[in-house]
Amino acid sequence: MLCTECQKRTATLHYTQIINGEKTEVHVCEVCAQKKGYSFPGDEPYTLHDLLTGLFNVTSPGLDVKEDNFFNQFNELTCDHCQLSFSEFQRIGKFGCTNCYDTFKAKLPAIFRKVHSGNTKHDGKIPKRKGGNLHIKKEIERYREYLQQLIKEENFEEAAVIRDRIKDLEKLQGGNES
Amino acid sequence: MSLEQFMNEAISPWMRVEGPENDIVLSTRIRLARNFEKVTFPIIANEDELRSVIEFMKENYEGKSYANYQNLAFIEMEDLSHIEKRVLVEKHLISPFLTKARASGVLVSENEQLSIMVNEEDHIRIQLYFPGFQMKQALDHAFELDDWLEEKIDFAFDERWGYLTSCPTNVGTGMRASVMIHLPALVLTKRINQMIPAINQFGFVVRGIYGEGTEALGNLFQVSNQITLGKSEEDIVEDLESVIINLVEQEREARHYLLHTSGKKLEDQIFRSYGILKYGRIIESQEASARISDVRLGVDLGMIKDVSHNVLNELMVLTQPGFLQHYAKKVLTTSERDVLRATLIRERLNI
Ligand SMILES: [Zn+2]
Ligand SMILES: [Zn+2]
């Protein structure tokens, strides 16, 4: 497969890019990947550089002045721990510290959605110590969903068992917190 | 240095074990990105902060062991020569980025299956390799190692966004699962061109493996997950597994097809490549990769009986520029490397 940028060299990097909800296939050679900023330090599939700058600098047709003002204010927003401003974050495509996530939180769902095919919420491993009651909370959530399903199926016997289990977990959760 | 000693250095102990499906899948890797909650991420951190991370890791993990991962050695980048750094990159123990990062280092287990990069783009990057196709085992072990580190480190974690990383492309699980796969028949039949977009659509990135140049080398591809947020590690690994199973099946089918439709031609190509590796006097890295790929296919198809996968894995690593210069103990020009490369391959195949 030829590189879609130069049409000369063999494409060696292949992935799907989503910009403004539109999927584009990217098939580029190493040279063009680097030129276009698709290239990556180490083993990253691509850098966010172009994606992010594209994301923020392209004014969408529906953008009015009011939003524009909000946008400018946001650019000056600076993380009080590492001093990274939002416009710097856009430029380098990296967070400077844990606190940046909090500082820029209003903009993050939109960014994450583009990068992670519409996802904005973690659904994986939770650290044992740091996660604290989060494990229990997640388990309760899972059981509650299951309980709803059981009730729908009129499987009340099993539902009673699950309800008790949820109660136990809630007790455990309360105990840990105090 | 004797050739034998040098070979021993080229190939990591874990690579000597034959893994499942290793006629097509070379290796499986899990990488987890983690950060210290209270320390500024490496790109912004000052020298003191970076040092504090290095010192913490040294103090708590140097010389320590966990399960199969014995006797972690700590290597600081600033203590290494340019060639030594390159050798670690060619062995995939560190990323090229780490060699340029400030106050950075790596913990490596004795079997070289585990490496923990310190102060790369994130404070910690756990990398775990398995031979062949072993996604679930790799994930289980990576999780255990992660828990082991978490006993002493407060990781940056948020209930909503998961593990916090410097780059938004890693947030959530912080996991990149990848598989290195050899697909000569899919390339020869050009079927790979239809398969790649389908794999991309499924959320996985495919990339050719590079050597010195910019062309894909030796029909080797790395397939890895694109997204890290909103999908559990288990689900990512399961999906990657099904992508790889499909690729392996298609590759096997394409090999059969080639054997039936143009068997003699294929055999000729394989043995010509074998001849060049055995008797050539000058060989560029790109050609070496292509020839090694042909010979590997010949071994898989039972046409070549006196060469093992291990020998080919060794050749892939030790014919790279860093290793060649490490062997020569000096900086070599491109043409000097091409001669030394041919010599090493010849000697190795004639042992
Ligand atoms: Zn190109
Ligand atoms: Zn910050």
Side-chain angles (χ1 to χ4, degrees), chain A residues 12 14 16 40 43-44 81 93-96 98 101 116 119 121-123 125 128-130 134 137, chain B residues 29 31 37 41 146-147 150 153 159-160 165-166 168 176 206-208 210 226 228-230 232-233:
Chain A
T12 49
H14 314 268
T16 307
F40 27 92
D43 58 354
E44 297 316 310
H81 176 81
K94 316 269 185 219
F95 294 106
T98 307
Y101 278 83
H116 298 285
N119 299 340
K121 204 174 177 322
H122 179 54
D123 187 26
K125 195 172 192 283
K128 285 213 164 76
R129 257 179 337 103
K130 180 89 202 322
L134 209 53
K137 202 172 136 190
Chain B
R29 189 198 68 163
R31 190 222 64 199
E37 184 179 28
F41 297 158
D146 183 41
D147 291 341
E150 201 231 319
I153 306 171
E159 182 176 342
R160 180 172 175 197
T165 54
S166 184
R176 199 75 59 202
V206 182
R207 66 174 312 214
Y210 309 92
Q226 187 168 358
T228 56
L229 186 66
S232 72
E233 292 87 347

Side-chain angles (χ1 to χ4, degrees), chain A residues 106-125:
Chain A
K107 280 284 180 186
L108 297 187
I111 295 170
F112 292 163
R113 216 172 281 133
K114 315 249 165 179
V115 183
H116 298 285
S117 342
N119 299 340
T120 54
K121 204 174 177 322
H122 179 54
D123 187 26
K125 195 172 192 283

